[in-house]
Amino acid sequence: MSEPDHYLALGVEPEATAEEVHDAWRFAVQAFHPDRFTDPGLREKADHMARRVNAAWQVLGDAEERSRYDRARREVAPPPRQPGRELPCPACGTLSTIADQQGAAASVRCPACAQQFTAIVGAHLVGRPQLEMRFLAGRYRLELIDGAGRRTDVHVRRLPTELALAEGETLSLVFRPGGRTVQYIVVHGARTDIGWKVR
């Protein structure tokens, strides 16, 4: 099958209900709308992603088309997912594949620029991010739990408006080199990972 994987484009499982597919499409269209980005490079990537999710919706949003697509899809086995978690380097943005640490912190060296940085890899979010007021400025507290049941609080100054975190999601946090400031939040889905830069 030469078609792209429409389920992967929307970040849903093939067993997803029509409502779940619709919700994923609506979220992705809003998140990747090109008008949300001022940087020309990011706008171009967002435009590509928006076209990809709209193409997926045209197929998966129609019951007859989805059924035909599912039959063709079953004929070809999906490619195996890469083991580990892909995280961007805070210095140059190059992706590094790191073994899942189940919420523990790991030291990572970027293969491109050799920058050393710290990341919490594969933690689960407890509850939703909580806005705390401190010295007339707000910040968000993310409560994370690792594979051993240990809880950690991480604070970020601002979360991207298009990032809607829900309880139980699997996250990785990439910290700026030499500091405790979070630069990237990566949400790990069942079939795809989405990273957001934190300002």
Side-chain angles (χ1 to χ4, degrees):
M1 183 171 83
S2 60
E3 288 185 87
D5 189 329
H6 294 312
Y7 291 106
L8 182 61
L10 293 179
V12 296
E13 293 295 326
E15 300 79 27
T17 65
E19 184 179 344
E20 289 170 332
V21 169
H22 182 256
D23 289 347
W25 169 73
R26 282 188 60 211
F27 173 79
V29 162
Q30 291 174 4
F32 297 116
H33 196 285
D35 290 346
R36 297 180 72 103
F37 301 90
T38 55
D39 179 86
L42 292 178
R43 182 185 280 265
E44 185 179 330
K45 287 179 185 177
D47 182 56
H48 172 74
M49 292 298 293
R51 281 188 269 123
R52 188 173 168 207
V53 298
N54 281 324
W57 171 246
Q58 285 181 338
V59 173
L60 301 182
D62 180 295
E64 192 174 311
E65 286 292 320
R66 182 177 180 181
S67 179
R68 196 172 310 138
Y69 174 74
D70 286 343
R71 281 194 302 274
R73 191 174 185 275
R74 279 191 290 272
E75 295 173 5
V76 177
R81 183 179 165 112
Q82 292 275 3
R85 305 289 190 189
E86 284 194 334
L87 303 179
C89 170
C92 71
T94 300
L95 293 177
S96 299
T97 302
I98 295 104
D100 191 343
Q101 303 294 311
Q102 297 184 347
S107 181
V108 182
R109 181 177 295 280
C110 175
C113 70
Q115 176 69 57
Q116 193 84 20
F117 62 93
T118 302
I120 294 176
V121 186
H124 294 284
L125 184 64
V126 178
R128 292 183 49 97
Q130 299 296 314
L131 179 61
E132 299 176 336
M133 297 306 289
R134 185 173 179 215
F135 306 117
L136 302 177
R139 66 179 185 172
Y140 288 90
R141 179 176 62 87
L142 281 66
E143 186 179 356
L144 306 174
I145 189 167
D146 66 15
R150 291 183 297 264
R151 292 180 184 238
T152 305
D153 284 349
V154 177
H155 294 89
V156 295
R157 187 174 301 155
R158 199 177 315 159
L159 290 174
T161 55
E162 58 272 13
L163 176 59
L165 294 172
E167 181 171 7
E169 289 199 87
T170 304
L171 309 174
S172 291
L173 306 178
V174 175
F175 295 87
R176 289 188 182 138
R180 295 188 43 86
T181 305
V182 177
Q183 181 155 337
Y184 290 102
I185 296 177
V186 180
V187 179
H188 302 291
R191 299 174 55 84
T192 188
D193 299 336
I194 300 178
W196 305 93
K197 191 167 187 174
V198 179
R199 298 188 192 280

